[in-house]
Each structure stands twice: as C-alpha cells, then as structure tokens.
Amino acid sequence: MGMWFWRCRHRSRLCFGGDLGPRTGQGGGSSGSLAPTPSCRPWGSPWARLVLLTALAVIGYGIMDTYLQTPAVSWKNWFQALDGVNETVIELITQDEVATYIPPTVVPPSRWVRYNRQWHGYQLPVITCQPLGRFGNVMGEYATLYALRRMYNASVVVTPAMRSQLNKTFPRLSLPSHPDYAFEIQLFKMYKEELKREFTFSDIIQLEVRNYLQGVVRKYERRSHSNNATSPSSAPAPPVFVGFHIRRTDYVKHAKKMFGAKLPGEEYFNRALNYYRTRFPNKVVFIAASDDMAFIHSKLKNEKDVYYAPGKSASVDMALLSSCNHSIVTMGSFGFWTGYLAGGEVVYPDVKLYSDYRFSKSMYERVRLENFTPLPAD
C-alpha cells in the first residue's frame, strides 16, 4: 500500500493520505493499475491528525502563555475612559477587593525587557525631562519621572537644572542626575506615600517650620484664654491648622491668557475660611502664604484667626503649608502640592475656564482625588 496526496474525484478537494487498491475492470478482473478508493476521508490518516494536533498545540500554548504572563489580579473593568487631557485608566480589584486605579500602559514585571545597550552607564531606554515652570511644576516633573521608572522599569535621570532647584529643599531625592513639561497626576498619584518620602524637607527647613508653628500655638492659646476669661484654668483644644495659599503676581495675566480664567478673590477667600470655621468651630488656625504678601495682608487683615507665613522662600512656605492638617488653594501647581503633601481635605475654587486646565474640578474628578473639595469661585 502506498501513501499519496490526490484530488478526490468524488468531492473535488485535496485529500491527505489513503489506501491505493486495485482497480476492478468491467469484467471483474484485475487490470493491474491502482486508483483511489471511492470513500475519501481527508482527516482520517495519521499524517492529517498529526498536522491538526500540532496546530491545536501551538494555539493552546499561545493562550496559556498570555494568561500566565498577566498580573495575578481579576479585572473588574478593562477600560474607564478619561476625557480631555487625562489618560485611560484600568480599575483593578485585588484579592482584598480594594480598588486601585492605574494607567493601562503599566507593564507587568513578567513582561519587562532588559536591553543590552547602555547610554553613559544607564541601561536603555533612558527617560528625562527639562525642568519648566516654577517650584511646584518642577516637583510635578520629578514625580512623573519617578512614576515612569516604577511602572516601566526604565532608567530615569534628572537634569542638573532640576536637581539644583529641588536638592536644597529635598536632600533625600533618590533619582540620579545627568547632564517637556511632565506633570501627570494620574500617573504619580498611585505612588503618593513614596513621593512624600521623596519630598522630605531638609532638617533646617523642618526645624524652622516647627519653631514657627510652636509660636503660632502659643499665640492661639493666649487668644483662647482671653476669650474664655470666665474659666482660665481650662486648657484650650489643640488647634487645627489649615494652610492657605493664594497665587498672584504673573498668574493673573497667565490664567486669563491661557485659560480665560479670573483668579478667585475675596468672595472665595471668605467662603473657604467659613467652610473650615464651620467644620472646626473655635479651634481652627489659618496659615496664609502667597507670592504677593502685600495683597493677602490687605485682603485678610480683619481675620483674627489668620497667621501669615514668614515668606522667606518658596521652600519654607511649601514646607509650612504642607505641614498643616488641611488646605485652601487657589490656582497653580504650588498650591496643588501644598494640599497634596498635607494629605487632609483640600478646598479649591471651581473657576470658569475656556480651555483645559490641569488644576481644575474636571481634572481632579477624573484622577479621583476624593479629598479635593470644590467651592464656587465667585
């Protein structure tokens, strides 16, 4: 018997394998020539089954490889779209049913690729950016680089310009330095506690902040005793500190030109102050700072529970405001960081805008900053 590939004349298709039997003549005798048997079974031969099993094995291996390489979590929602400037996020539900929101571009460790090529001693690819903007923007750029390193296992370096702007204030920065304006809240928010350790203020700055706040506490206690003259022996409740940052100077024109926005004024100031006074009656203390101290002195001069930051430097003001329990901010990246690092409730103005703005209600809601509370700006 022989094995052949032939076209089945009964079904007009190519058949694999089969038996070649003797052709029977009209007279019933054997003619001595061979012809395919009438019943053609294309997948009946061992060779055909081998081809089929091989194809199924390859497909099965691919499916198993994809399954085993994915993170060991269950997917509740594949994608939850964010509009405008925001990125898409994935909602992951861990075994403890705790929701974590991460960008879908996060690469699981099983998929990390190591490159053999290097650049100045750093394994490729290398990510960096030039510091643009003022102090708060540079902090956002550093935080974004830190998040990208953690997410993609990529080499990340900071430029000397960025290092020089941050190192005196935050001497414990871990990213290496080497000779775009990155500020992606939806990326670095998942590393908040790690970033708070990154943005640890220098010992000198921390000592200055502690001394200042102790002085405020003494003034608060004296004022409380004078207001409670009928029972001077009772100790006043510890104050609740609320940092209050008011952005002015160049941002007045910048906000109008770039976003069609007007910076919030006295109506918002009073609304935000009264919000915390209602929440913490008779024990709230406000620490106010600004890049225009003369402006806020003129606007808040009648507020007895408002104390003014020394205003020596942006670093000290940042450390002081982020040491408070809660926050009030206006616009700009500096105010954002004071509230973000403080960790309590952050009141911000719901400003009318004519274009996308990073520090707005729509953005804070998209990136799910639940501790940020909007109040009407006017």
Side-chain angles (χ1 to χ4, degrees), residues 13-29:
R13 68 166 178 258
L14 190 65
C15 300
F16 295 89
D19 295 332
L20 292 177
R23 179 184 297 172
T24 302
Q26 295 179 354

PDB file of all heavy atoms in Angstrom, residues 13-29:
ATOM      1  N   ARG A  13     -11.719  17.906  -3.833  1.00  0.00           N
ATOM      2  CA  ARG A  13     -10.819  18.638  -2.942  1.00  0.00           C
ATOM      3  C   ARG A  13      -9.609  17.767  -2.669  1.00  0.00           C
ATOM      4  O   ARG A  13      -9.618  16.563  -2.899  1.00  0.00           O
ATOM      5  CB  ARG A  13     -11.506  19.027  -1.643  1.00  0.00           C
ATOM      6  CG  ARG A  13     -11.873  17.877  -0.720  1.00  0.00           C
ATOM      7  CD  ARG A  13     -12.229  18.435   0.655  1.00  0.00           C
ATOM      8  NE  ARG A  13     -12.638  17.349   1.532  1.00  0.00           N
ATOM      9  CZ  ARG A  13     -13.887  17.048   1.841  1.00  0.00           C
ATOM     10  NH1 ARG A  13     -14.865  17.756   1.300  1.00  0.00           N
ATOM     11  NH2 ARG A  13     -14.170  16.062   2.666  1.00  0.00           N
ATOM     12  N   LEU A  14      -8.601  18.398  -2.113  1.00  0.00           N
ATOM     13  CA  LEU A  14      -7.359  17.686  -1.847  1.00  0.00           C
ATOM     14  C   LEU A  14      -7.513  16.830  -0.613  1.00  0.00           C
ATOM     15  O   LEU A  14      -7.963  17.302   0.429  1.00  0.00           O
ATOM     16  CB  LEU A  14      -6.223  18.679  -1.643  1.00  0.00           C
ATOM     17  CG  LEU A  14      -4.812  18.067  -1.601  1.00  0.00           C
ATOM     18  CD1 LEU A  14      -4.481  17.455  -2.966  1.00  0.00           C
ATOM     19  CD2 LEU A  14      -3.808  19.132  -1.213  1.00  0.00           C
ATOM     20  N   CYS A  15      -7.172  15.567  -0.696  1.00  0.00           N
ATOM     21  CA  CYS A  15      -7.253  14.645   0.428  1.00  0.00           C
ATOM     22  C   CYS A  15      -5.844  14.262   0.830  1.00  0.00           C
ATOM     23  O   CYS A  15      -4.940  14.193   0.003  1.00  0.00           O
ATOM     24  CB  CYS A  15      -8.040  13.385   0.046  1.00  0.00           C
ATOM     25  SG  CYS A  15      -9.735  13.747  -0.466  1.00  0.00           S
ATOM     26  N   PHE A  16      -5.660  14.027   2.119  1.00  0.00           N
ATOM     27  CA  PHE A  16      -4.346  13.677   2.643  1.00  0.00           C
ATOM     28  C   PHE A  16      -4.342  12.190   2.985  1.00  0.00           C
ATOM     29  O   PHE A  16      -5.063  11.742   3.883  1.00  0.00           O
ATOM     30  CB  PHE A  16      -4.027  14.509   3.895  1.00  0.00           C
ATOM     31  CG  PHE A  16      -3.905  15.958   3.625  1.00  0.00           C
ATOM     32  CD1 PHE A  16      -5.028  16.777   3.687  1.00  0.00           C
ATOM     33  CD2 PHE A  16      -2.698  16.507   3.275  1.00  0.00           C
ATOM     34  CE1 PHE A  16      -4.921  18.118   3.441  1.00  0.00           C
ATOM     35  CE2 PHE A  16      -2.586  17.854   3.030  1.00  0.00           C
ATOM     36  CZ  PHE A  16      -3.701  18.664   3.106  1.00  0.00           C
ATOM     37  N   GLY A  17      -3.503  11.447   2.296  1.00  0.00           N
ATOM     38  CA  GLY A  17      -3.358  10.036   2.615  1.00  0.00           C
ATOM     39  C   GLY A  17      -4.491   9.198   2.058  1.00  0.00           C
ATOM     40  O   GLY A  17      -5.407   9.650   1.394  1.00  0.00           O
ATOM     41  N   GLY A  18      -4.419   7.915   2.326  1.00  0.00           N
ATOM     42  CA  GLY A  18      -5.457   6.981   1.893  1.00  0.00           C
ATOM     43  C   GLY A  18      -4.836   5.729   1.299  1.00  0.00           C
ATOM     44  O   GLY A  18      -3.634   5.672   1.023  1.00  0.00           O
ATOM     45  N   ASP A  19      -5.637   4.711   1.102  1.00  0.00           N
ATOM     46  CA  ASP A  19      -5.153   3.448   0.557  1.00  0.00           C
ATOM     47  C   ASP A  19      -5.335   3.428  -0.960  1.00  0.00           C
ATOM     48  O   ASP A  19      -6.324   3.930  -1.485  1.00  0.00           O
ATOM     49  CB  ASP A  19      -5.918   2.265   1.154  1.00  0.00           C
ATOM     50  CG  ASP A  19      -5.656   2.141   2.643  1.00  0.00           C
ATOM     51  OD1 ASP A  19      -4.558   2.573   3.051  1.00  0.00           O
ATOM     52  OD2 ASP A  19      -6.547   1.638   3.350  1.00  0.00           O
ATOM     53  N   LEU A  20      -4.365   2.862  -1.633  1.00  0.00           N
ATOM     54  CA  LEU A  20      -4.460   2.644  -3.061  1.00  0.00           C
ATOM     55  C   LEU A  20      -4.785   1.162  -3.285  1.00  0.00           C
ATOM     56  O   LEU A  20      -3.967   0.279  -2.959  1.00  0.00           O
ATOM     57  CB  LEU A  20      -3.158   3.006  -3.770  1.00  0.00           C
ATOM     58  CG  LEU A  20      -2.811   4.507  -3.771  1.00  0.00           C
ATOM     59  CD1 LEU A  20      -1.469   4.703  -4.449  1.00  0.00           C
ATOM     60  CD2 LEU A  20      -3.892   5.278  -4.468  1.00  0.00           C
ATOM     61  N   GLY A  21      -5.952   0.906  -3.799  1.00  0.00           N
ATOM     62  CA  GLY A  21      -6.357  -0.505  -4.006  1.00  0.00           C
ATOM     63  C   GLY A  21      -6.400  -0.845  -5.488  1.00  0.00           C
ATOM     64  O   GLY A  21      -6.322   0.029  -6.357  1.00  0.00           O
ATOM     65  N   PRO A  22      -6.554  -2.080  -5.794  1.00  0.00           N
ATOM     66  CA  PRO A  22      -6.614  -2.493  -7.220  1.00  0.00           C
ATOM     67  C   PRO A  22      -7.901  -2.034  -7.876  1.00  0.00           C
ATOM     68  O   PRO A  22      -8.950  -1.996  -7.248  1.00  0.00           O
ATOM     69  CB  PRO A  22      -6.547  -4.024  -7.147  1.00  0.00           C
ATOM     70  CG  PRO A  22      -7.057  -4.349  -5.781  1.00  0.00           C
ATOM     71  CD  PRO A  22      -6.632  -3.234  -4.896  1.00  0.00           C
ATOM     72  N   ARG A  23      -7.752  -1.531  -9.126  1.00  0.00           N
ATOM     73  CA  ARG A  23      -8.929  -1.114  -9.881  1.00  0.00           C
ATOM     74  C   ARG A  23      -9.571  -2.361 -10.493  1.00  0.00           C
ATOM     75  O   ARG A  23      -8.908  -3.161 -11.134  1.00  0.00           O
ATOM     76  CB  ARG A  23      -8.540  -0.149 -10.996  1.00  0.00           C
ATOM     77  CG  ARG A  23      -9.734   0.296 -11.838  1.00  0.00           C
ATOM     78  CD  ARG A  23      -9.290   1.177 -12.973  1.00  0.00           C
ATOM     79  NE  ARG A  23      -8.697   2.392 -12.451  1.00  0.00           N
ATOM     80  CZ  ARG A  23      -8.075   3.273 -13.261  1.00  0.00           C
ATOM     81  NH1 ARG A  23      -7.960   3.019 -14.554  1.00  0.00           N
ATOM     82  NH2 ARG A  23      -7.564   4.367 -12.749  1.00  0.00           N
ATOM     83  N   THR A  24     -10.848  -2.439 -10.300  1.00  0.00           N
ATOM     84  CA  THR A  24     -11.571  -3.606 -10.823  1.00  0.00           C
ATOM     85  C   THR A  24     -12.111  -3.296 -12.217  1.00  0.00           C
ATOM     86  O   THR A  24     -12.764  -2.252 -12.409  1.00  0.00           O
ATOM     87  CB  THR A  24     -12.734  -3.964  -9.897  1.00  0.00           C
ATOM     88  OG1 THR A  24     -12.210  -4.213  -8.605  1.00  0.00           O
ATOM     89  CG2 THR A  24     -13.459  -5.212 -10.390  1.00  0.00           C
ATOM     90  N   GLY A  25     -11.833  -4.167 -13.179  1.00  0.00           N
ATOM     91  CA  GLY A  25     -12.327  -3.958 -14.535  1.00  0.00           C
ATOM     92  C   GLY A  25     -13.794  -4.279 -14.689  1.00  0.00           C
ATOM     93  O   GLY A  25     -14.444  -4.783 -13.786  1.00  0.00           O
ATOM     94  N   GLN A  26     -14.334  -4.015 -15.904  1.00  0.00           N
ATOM     95  CA  GLN A  26     -15.742  -4.269 -16.139  1.00  0.00           C
ATOM     96  C   GLN A  26     -16.072  -5.741 -16.053  1.00  0.00           C
ATOM     97  O   GLN A  26     -17.171  -6.129 -15.705  1.00  0.00           O
ATOM     98  CB  GLN A  26     -16.149  -3.707 -17.506  1.00  0.00           C
ATOM     99  CG  GLN A  26     -16.057  -2.220 -17.576  1.00  0.00           C
ATOM    100  CD  GLN A  26     -16.449  -1.714 -18.942  1.00  0.00           C
ATOM    101  OE1 GLN A  26     -16.693  -2.514 -19.875  1.00  0.00           O
ATOM    102  NE2 GLN A  26     -16.543  -0.410 -19.079  1.00  0.00           N
ATOM    103  N   GLY A  27     -15.066  -6.497 -16.383  1.00  0.00           N
ATOM    104  CA  GLY A  27     -15.317  -7.925 -16.349  1.00  0.00           C
ATOM    105  C   GLY A  27     -15.049  -8.550 -15.011  1.00  0.00           C
ATOM    106  O   GLY A  27     -15.117  -9.754 -14.885  1.00  0.00           O
ATOM    107  N   GLY A  28     -14.714  -7.733 -14.054  1.00  0.00           N
ATOM    108  CA  GLY A  28     -14.461  -8.235 -12.715  1.00  0.00           C
ATOM    109  C   GLY A  28     -13.035  -8.624 -12.495  1.00  0.00           C
ATOM    110  O   GLY A  28     -12.639  -8.936 -11.387  1.00  0.00           O
ATOM    111  N   GLY A  29     -12.199  -8.620 -13.529  1.00  0.00           N
ATOM    112  CA  GLY A  29     -10.806  -8.958 -13.340  1.00  0.00           C
ATOM    113  C   GLY A  29      -9.973  -7.783 -12.939  1.00  0.00           C
ATOM    114  O   GLY A  29     -10.383  -6.637 -13.053  1.00  0.00           O
TER     115      GLY A  29
END
